[in-house]
Amino acid sequence: MLRKPQYIALGIVALLGLILLSLSESTTQRAKITLTGLFLPLFGFTESTQSAARHAGNSIVPREDLVRELKQLRAQKQELEFTLTQLQEGARENDGLRKQAGFPARLPWKLKPARVIARDPANWWRTVFLDVGSKDGVRVDMPVITPEGLVGRVSVVGASRSQVVLLGDQNCRVAAKVDETKENGIVVPYAADPSIVSLTYLSRGSPVKPGQSIVTSGLELKPGNQVLTSGLGGVFPAGIRIGEIVDVRSASFGLYQEARVKLTVNLNALDRVWVVAQ
Amino acid sequence: MNRLETISILLAAWLAVAFEVSFNGFRNWFGAQVSLLPALMVYVALTSSLPSVVLLAIVGGLAQDSFSANPLGVTTVALALTGFLIHYKRDIVLRDQIYAQVMMGFLGSSLVPACVVLALTNSHHPVPLTARLVGQWVVMAAGGAVATPLIFRLFAQLTRWFSYQPFPESHYRGTGQLKRTRF
């Protein structure tokens, strides 16, 4: 039988659990962000350790390697400058045409660099913490990207930290399209593999060869097709790369189709990301 | 519960959560993060008092949930239930034996995530029960089983460093005195 102190301890924990679990979503999120502040020394220590390691690594790189890399970067810079000039010309032309057609002007992205400082300890969620918050201009639902593609969206914002829900989490669904066919669908998690997501609710087509490719609205979805954000959900701007199709299958007794999509970003190796302030 | 014990439990809980949120190796190698809090709870439940169990459950659970998308408090309840269960039956556990430590670590590390997933199943954001989740659960249980004896060794070492150690008994015994006699 339990003794009196044990009953009291059980009662305390049960009461605390009930109070915490019945708190509102906004209160819980504020409390969570405040509690993560207890780990600020850890984040500082990690940053300083990494910076010291980088510094030590830099000091032992041979001069020949640095000179060779500098030459390569200079050549790459010149190439990129030519591309930029062409793109700027194209953008000017696009702006002029949009103005003539009466379309609103396309606003450039404002990118905010950020560092991943912590990961969700629970295995069934996919979230990370960034070292930027509301004082850096970060807001809820802002997209987070890397040069390789889409990472996720900001879900909770504190003063100097924010939580990002990653692609493949249940709470991150993205309106997407297949670049080659312009077919629209929704990106949802794929439970068996964290590096893959499902592009679902693609319109129904008729199979050409079972297990290979499927005709959809007159266009074929093939493995290797690029999947981009469609911009339809209102959260993610159009044209951000998500991944490429691995295979396509019919779902819900042929009502619609699903494609497995291999993500372009390795979400397990995230370090530096960019928050898109549209 | 003395002051040193309280500080060491709080520090260990902080370090366990810090390890979980910043070290990504287990996730890359085995596909799941290993949690050290259940293993720590096994140690505290077997060797310490009930207030220590409550303290670890509250501090560790809140710290872990603050970095997670779990509802705040769900890990606290899971840790407390596991801690109470082990503490209640600790008289029948041979806690100095490595085998017992491994088995209790396995039990604790499988019970805590199971309780959390069970609670989430009844919440607004249920976790899909998949084969991958079962695999992660096995990794967490195995990781906890390995970590528990290490935590016992670590705390035994800390106790030796920071606690008063009585002098060992002298080998001198009254009956063994040399007696002066004539040649």
Side-chain angles (χ1 to χ4, degrees), chain A:
Chain A
M1 285 293 291
L2 291 176
R3 293 190 300 274
K4 196 181 171 186
Q6 291 174 326
Y7 277 119
I8 294 171
L10 261 174
I12 290 171
V13 174
L15 189 67
L16 184 75
L18 275 175
I19 291 170
L20 289 171
L21 290 171
S22 59
L23 289 175
S24 68
E25 190 74 21
S26 58
T27 314
T28 308
Q29 287 175 354
R30 273 203 302 275
K32 280 184 174 185
I33 287 287
T34 310
L35 281 169
T36 55
L38 294 172
F39 289 81
L40 279 176
L42 167 78
F43 304 145
F45 175 73
T46 312
E47 172 63 16
S48 53
T49 311
Q50 284 175 352
S51 129
R54 270 196 303 272
H55 189 72
N58 290 346
S59 62
I60 56 169
V61 177
R63 188 179 155 75
E64 299 171 6
D65 291 354
L66 291 174
V67 172
R68 195 184 322 121
E69 196 174 344
L70 184 65
K71 275 182 187 168
Q72 283 174 358
L73 287 174
R74 274 183 183 151
Q76 198 178 1
K77 180 174 170 277
Q78 284 178 350
E79 199 180 316
L80 287 173
E81 276 172 353
F82 290 131
T83 313
L84 181 66
T85 313
Q86 285 177 347
L87 288 175
Q88 279 173 339
E89 182 54 36
R92 267 195 295 273
E93 190 179 299
N94 188 29
D95 285 346
L97 290 171
R98 287 179 82 91
K99 201 177 281 180
Q100 284 174 19
F103 290 170
R106 192 179 285 235
L107 295 173
W109 295 349
K110 288 178 191 165
L111 295 173
K112 179 72 63 185
R115 196 171 64 87
V116 175
I117 52 174
R119 288 181 171 275
D120 197 325
N123 288 306
W124 37 88
W125 305 120
R126 308 187 74 191
T127 63
V128 293
F129 271 80
L130 303 183
D131 64 347
V132 290
S134 57
K135 67 179 183 187
D136 305 292
V138 176
R139 301 281 177 272
V140 172
D141 280 344
M142 280 183 171
V144 179
I145 60 171
T146 65
E148 288 81 34
L150 186 66
V151 169
R153 66 174 174 83
V154 176
S155 59
V156 182
V157 178
S160 59
R161 289 174 302 285
S162 50
Q163 192 177 23
V164 174
V165 57
L166 302 177
L167 270 177
D169 189 276
Q170 294 175 69
N171 300 316
C172 185
R173 301 191 172 213
V174 184
K177 67 178 178 192
V178 181
D179 193 27
E180 285 80 0
T181 64
K182 310 299 174 200
E183 195 72 40
N184 280 298
I186 297 174
V187 170
V188 296
Y190 180 73
D193 189 345
S195 66
I196 287 178
V197 290
S198 280
L199 178 62
T200 188
Y201 303 124
L202 294 165
S203 59
R204 187 164 57 95
S206 52
V208 176
K209 267 186 183 178
Q212 282 192 354
S213 59
I214 298 175
V215 172
T216 308
S217 308
L219 295 166
E220 267 185 83
L221 287 177
K222 288 178 182 170
N225 283 171
Q226 294 296 311
V227 177
L228 312 172
T229 53
S230 65
L232 291 179
V235 175
F236 301 97
I240 303 174
R241 211 160 14 149
I242 294 175
E244 62 177 39
I245 290 180
V246 178
D247 55 18
V248 185
R249 67 182 182 87
S250 189
S252 291
F253 305 103
L255 200 60
Y256 56 88
Q257 292 184 118
E258 272 184 359
R260 291 196 307 158
V261 177
K262 175 88 177 161
L263 296 173
T264 50
V265 180
N266 180 5
L267 297 175
N268 280 335
L270 286 177
D271 183 27
R272 304 269 169 185
V273 294
W274 299 83
V275 182
V276 181
Q278 293 171 53

Side-chain angles (χ1 to χ4, degrees), chain B residues 26-49:
Chain B
F26 290 122
R27 219 185 294 258
N28 291 337
W29 298 329
F30 306 115
Q33 179 62 287
V34 173
S35 177
L36 296 178
L37 280 177
L40 191 60
M41 176 56 84
V42 169
Y43 170 78
V44 171
L46 286 178
T47 59
S48 193
S49 58

Side-chain angles (χ1 to χ4, degrees), chain B residues 3-4 24 26 28 33 37 43 51 71 81 90 122 131 143 153 155 157 162:
Chain B
R3 201 173 295 170
L4 178 70
N24 211 22
F26 290 122
N28 291 337
Q33 179 62 287
L37 280 177
Y43 170 78
L81 281 176
R90 69 174 177 167
N122 296 304
R153 298 286 174 284
F155 273 89
Q157 188 64 45
F162 293 108

